[in-house]
Each structure stands twice: as C-alpha cells, then as structure tokens.
C-alpha cells in the first residue's frame, strides 16, 4: 500500500505512478526536476501519485513533492505533466534519468 501525494488516498502501489527527483543544471542549482519512474527502477527517493492531472495539481498546490522527496527549492513537474497528458497507459518506454549528481 502506498499513499498518493496528491489526494492522500492509500491504494496498492500498482495503481500509482512512482516519481523521482533529479537536479537540473549545475550542482549549485536549487532547481529540481521530477520524472516518472514507469518501471520503478530509477535510483533515489520516490513519491507516489495517481496518474491523473487532478492529483498532480493537488500535489503541486500543496507543495507535496518537496516534502515527500525531501528537496528544497524549485520543483519542475513538466515531465510528469507530459507523461500524464500523453496517457499513462500508452507510455511504455522508461524515461531517461536526469543528472542526479548532488
């Protein structure tokens, strides 16, 4: 069982999308990018989210990604928005992990 960071509902992990965080740009940057982890294999701390735009908007509004992933600074969710917008079911290939050097 996992908890969606958007709606706070506890459901089986198979119903949720795992997302992980990576740092963008140089190591001094405080901007982070959230990417979908379709196969649940990317390294790092993860957060769980229903693959629907409602939960994504709620998580952004509540600033839940920063707390769940333990990051401070700007969080870019563009990759997750694109994934959800394209239909999570149709997305079969794993995204390329961003630069995760810290």
């Amino acid at each position: 069982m996992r908890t969606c960071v958007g709606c706070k509902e506890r459901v089986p992990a198979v119903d949720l999308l795992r997302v992980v965080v990576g740092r963008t740009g140089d190591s001094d940057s405080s901007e982070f990018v959230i990417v979908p982890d379709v196969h649940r294999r990317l390294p790092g701390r993860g957060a769980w989210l229903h693959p629907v735009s409602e939960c994504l908007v709620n998580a952004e509004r509540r600033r839940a990604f920063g707390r769940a992933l333990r990051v401070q600074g700007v969080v870019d969710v563009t990759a997750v928005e694109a994934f959800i917008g394209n239909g999570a079911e149709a997305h079969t290939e794993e995204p390329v992990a961003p630069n995760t050097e810290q």
Side-chain angles (χ1 to χ4, degrees), residues 4-9 49-50 52-65 67 77 81 84:
C4 173
V5 295
C7 66
K8 297 184 184 179
E9 183 180 344
L49 179 75
H50 281 110
V52 295
S53 59
E54 236 177 63
C55 287
L56 177 61
V57 168
N58 285 340
E60 283 183 286
R61 182 178 46 83
R62 294 179 34 246
R63 297 184 182 136
F65 288 119
R67 284 191 305 275
V77 295
E81 286 175 343
I84 291 173

Side-chain angles (χ1 to χ4, degrees), residues 4-5 16 19-20 22-23 26 30-31 34 43-45 51-52 54 57 63 74 80 85 88 91 93 97:
C4 173
V5 295
L16 299 174
V19 295
V20 294
R23 190 180 301 266
D26 58 23
S30 64
E31 185 172 325
I34 306 293
R45 184 171 183 82
V52 295
E54 236 177 63
V57 168
R63 297 184 182 136
V74 179
V80 177
H91 212 294
E93 66 180 78

